[in-house]
């Protein structure tokens, strides 16, 4: 619809071009280009008459470009003005003021008509009319901006149009108020339609979605128009603090105007006021919800302790043969489950929708699962240790390349205290993936010892001495019976195996006691304990008998 604007904007250009043709032939070269552009504009205007559709739109675009060239040339003339050409340049600028005044009046009426048409047409036609209205409004604002530039040129030329300038400033102030109110209304409509779409039936959604699209476009157009007029108003030194704040609140766009201290103070003031209003309206209800939340958490903490106590008694029953790890697992999981249920109930009571929370936990679980694959492997191994119970707390084990006493177990790692009092934290995956040797799992163990005597010693006497030593030791069990046998005829000794049975906790005491007693008794009985030795024989050779 720009050609409608062109008609009003350049109708006077034709007259101006005709006047130029009647002017004296003595023209300065500096005005030749702008006068030539005027003639071309007049020709384009005559050519546009009788044209319709795409052909007319093309000519209209050419005329707009010509007008931009005219203004660019006019700006160059103003920049390089002299006392001689200033009156003529001023005349050109006044002509532009008159042209744009006609265009502003025409566009204002055109916008009013389009707005009335927008209210009368059906919804689908509204989208088309809306596009035309937005284009016309944007062009109208551009003309206002160019008119302000014209007034600035007149001031530079020494002929300010103060009355017309003040009238334009007043129009801009009114335009700011109108666009601000329109933006507030359209934004409210958009929010209402958004809520209606969520709760509407399927057969109503199509119509509501069209209305919502229309409202969205209106808001977008309102934001662009208000931002343009705010920028223009800032050039006119008009206070735009409230309008800049409104743009930021609705659009969320950060602009240079937001950094103005007045805008920042206004935003902070509004936020503080909103916070005070929220406190005044919601404090009693919020305090009550907090009280309910804390009360539910307190009750479920008591239930957690009760549950742990009940489960502890249940898993400690003598009829259940559970490892300490399994007992701790059931006790911990029961208490934590009760507490988690309590937290979820408490959150639901304060109005929190649990569906997104649980969905978020599920998504987070998948992400964490990929990030902590090794930890999950340890957890799975801990579950296998929990089920098959190859060892328990306080058992002496050899597992995962370490040996010592199991001091603590969890589903992720096992803590082993070595015999020299070092603490080793071993991942469960390493323990489960290797051979596990439980030294103290059985209540009774056999002590395997080997003692060697000389070939010259009495075998029967040695057997009797060893039997006496084993029989006399109070920690050696009578059943199973100990084993004392001649086992091996080695290269330098006759080896006896001595294998008494003892309680697991007495293993090392018996081992050390019997070893000490064997040495002492063998010495008293004259039984020798051979040890590796080497005899070196030297054979002397007479040099005289050595063959040459």
């Amino acid at each position: 619809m720009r050609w409608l604007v062109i008609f009003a904007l350049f109708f006077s250009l034709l007259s101006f071009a005709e006047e130029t043709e009647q002017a004296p032939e003595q023209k300065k070269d500096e005005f030749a280009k702008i006068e030539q552009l005027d003639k071309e504009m007049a020709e384009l205007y005559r050519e546009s008459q009788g044209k319709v559709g795409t052909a007319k739109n093309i000519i209209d675009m050419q005329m707009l470009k010509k007008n931009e060239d005219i203004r660019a040339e006019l700006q160059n003339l103003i920049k390089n003005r002299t006392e001689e050409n200033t009156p003529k340049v001023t005349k050109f600028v006044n002509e532009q003021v008159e042209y744009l005044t006609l265009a502003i009046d025409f566009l204002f009426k055109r916008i009013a008509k389009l707005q009335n048409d927008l209210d009368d047409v059906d919804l689908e036609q509204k989208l088309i009319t809306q596009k035309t209205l937005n284009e016309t409004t944007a062009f109208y604002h551009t003309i206002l901006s160019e008119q302000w530039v014209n007034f600035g040129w007149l001031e530079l030329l020494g002929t300010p149009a103060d009355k017309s300038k003040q009238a334009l400033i007043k129009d801009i102030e009114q335009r700011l108020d109108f666009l601000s109110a329109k933006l507030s209304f359209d934004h409210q409509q958009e929010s209402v339609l958004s809520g209606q779409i969520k709760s509407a039936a399927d057969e109503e959604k199509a119509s509501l979605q069209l209305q919502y699209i229309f409202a969205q476009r209106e808001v977008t157009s309102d934001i662009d128009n208000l931002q343009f007029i705010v920028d223009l108003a800032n050039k006119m030194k008009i206070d735009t603090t409230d309008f800049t704040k409104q743009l930021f609140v609705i659009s969320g766009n950060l602009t240079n105007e937001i950094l103005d201290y007045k805008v920042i103070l206004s935003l902070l003031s509004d936020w503080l006021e909103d916070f005070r209003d929220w406190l005044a309206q919601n404090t009693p209800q919020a305090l009550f919800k907090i009280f309910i939340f804390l009360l539910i958490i307190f009750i479920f903490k008591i239930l957690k302790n009760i549950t742990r106590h009940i489960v502890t008694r249940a898993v400690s029953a003598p009829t259940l043969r559970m490892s300490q790890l399994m007992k701790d697992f059931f006790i911990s999981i029961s208490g934590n489950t009760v507490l988690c249920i309590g937290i979820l109930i408490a959150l639901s009571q304060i109005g929190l929708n649990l569906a997104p929370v649980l969905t978020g936990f599920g998504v987070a679980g998948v992400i964490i699962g990929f990030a902590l694959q090794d930890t999950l492997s340890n957890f799975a191994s801990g579950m296998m240790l929990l089920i098959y119970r190859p060892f328990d707390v306080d058992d002496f084990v050899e597992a995962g390349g370490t040996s010592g006493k199991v001091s603590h177990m969890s589903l992720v790692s096992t803590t082993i205290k070595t015999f020299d009092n070092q603490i080793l934290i071993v991942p469960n995956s390493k323990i489960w993936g290797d051979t596990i040797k439980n030294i103290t799992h059985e209540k009774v163990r056999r002590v395997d010892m080997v003692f060697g005597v000389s070939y010259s010693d009495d075998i029967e006497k040695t057997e009797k001495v060893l039997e006496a030593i084993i029989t006399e030791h109070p920690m050696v069990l009578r059943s199973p019976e100990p084993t004392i046998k001649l086992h091996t005829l080695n290269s330098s000794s006759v080896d006896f195996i001595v294998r008494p049975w003892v309680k697991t906790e007495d293993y090392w005491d018996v081992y050390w006691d019997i070893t000490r007693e064997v040495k002492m008794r063998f010495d008293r009985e004259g039984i020798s304990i051979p040890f590796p030795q080497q005899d070196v024989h030297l054979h002397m050779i007479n040099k005289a008998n050595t063959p040459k």
Side-chain angles (χ1 to χ4, degrees), residues 475-492:
M475 295 182 182
V476 175
L477 300 177
R478 299 297 175 261
S479 178
E481 293 182 356
T483 300
I484 302 173
K485 299 291 181 182
L486 194 153
H487 183 59
T488 305
L489 299 176
N490 272 332
S491 58
S492 60

Side-chain angles (χ1 to χ4, degrees), residues 317-382:
T319 55
L320 295 177
R321 297 182 58 189
M322 286 189 178
S323 65
Q324 187 62 40
L325 175 60
M326 184 170 286
K327 292 178 182 178
D328 294 340
F329 174 76
F330 280 120
I331 293 171
S332 175
I333 199 69
S334 61
N336 291 335
T337 301
V338 171
L339 185 59
C340 288
I341 293 173
I343 292 174
L344 293 176
I345 294 175
L347 291 175
S348 66
Q349 291 301 311
I350 63 175
L352 182 65
N353 187 3
L354 297 182
V357 176
L358 297 177
T359 303
F361 283 154
V363 174
V366 174
I367 297 173
I368 293 172
F370 279 108
L372 302 177
Q373 294 183 28
D374 293 339
T375 302
L376 291 178
S377 175
N378 291 328
F379 183 84
S381 299

Side-chain angles (χ1 to χ4, degrees), residues 14 32 39 137 139 161 184 213 220 228 280 293 358 449 493 495:
L14 180 61
K39 290 181 180 180
T137 302
F139 193 69
S184 298
I213 292 172
T220 302
F228 186 92
F293 178 84
L358 297 177
M449 295 175 287
S493 65
D495 294 339

Side-chain angles (χ1 to χ4, degrees), residues 94 97 150-152 154-155 158-167:
N94 284 322
V97 171
N150 289 339
F151 291 144
L154 288 175
E155 287 185 4
T159 56
D162 293 335
K163 186 176 180 181
S164 299
K165 182 178 178 181
Q166 291 300 320

Side-chain angles (χ1 to χ4, degrees), residues 216-352:
Q216 277 186 316
R217 291 183 179 180
E218 283 287 277
V219 171
T220 302
S221 176
D222 293 342
I223 292 174
D224 294 339
N225 292 332
L226 182 57
Q227 183 63 62
F228 186 92
I229 296 300
V230 165
D231 294 339
L232 179 58
N234 287 330
K235 297 176 183 178
M236 298 177 176
K237 307 301 181 182
I238 299 174
D239 184 12
T240 59
T241 302
D242 293 337
F243 307 110
T244 303
K245 179 183 66 177
Q246 181 185 18
L247 285 170
F248 173 72
V249 171
I250 293 179
S251 68
N253 296 329
L254 292 174
T255 59
N256 293 333
E257 291 80 4
I258 293 297
L259 301 179
D260 185 82
Y261 77 96
K262 292 182 179 180
V263 178
I264 296 175
L265 290 177
S266 179
L267 285 171
L268 292 176
S269 176
D270 285 352
W271 289 341
L272 182 60
E273 188 66 28
D274 292 342
F275 180 70
R276 288 175 179 171
D277 293 341
W278 182 87
L279 285 179
Q281 297 175 5
N282 299 286
T283 296
Q285 184 179 4
L287 291 176
F288 180 74
K289 287 183 176 181
I290 292 173
F291 171 75
I292 294 297
F293 178 84
L294 295 177
L295 179 62
I296 293 174
I297 295 297
F298 176 75
I299 293 173
F300 272 87
K301 286 194 72 172
I302 296 175
L303 292 177
K304 171 189 172 182
N305 295 332
I306 295 174
T307 304
R308 286 174 62 91
H309 180 70
I310 294 173
V311 174
T312 301
R313 293 187 60 182
V315 299
S316 301
T319 55
L320 295 177
R321 297 182 58 189
M322 286 189 178
S323 65
Q324 187 62 40
L325 175 60
M326 184 170 286
K327 292 178 182 178
D328 294 340
F329 174 76
F330 280 120
I331 293 171
S332 175
I333 199 69
S334 61
N336 291 335
T337 301
V338 171
L339 185 59
C340 288
I341 293 173
I343 292 174
L344 293 176
I345 294 175
L347 291 175
S348 66
Q349 291 301 311
I350 63 175
L352 182 65

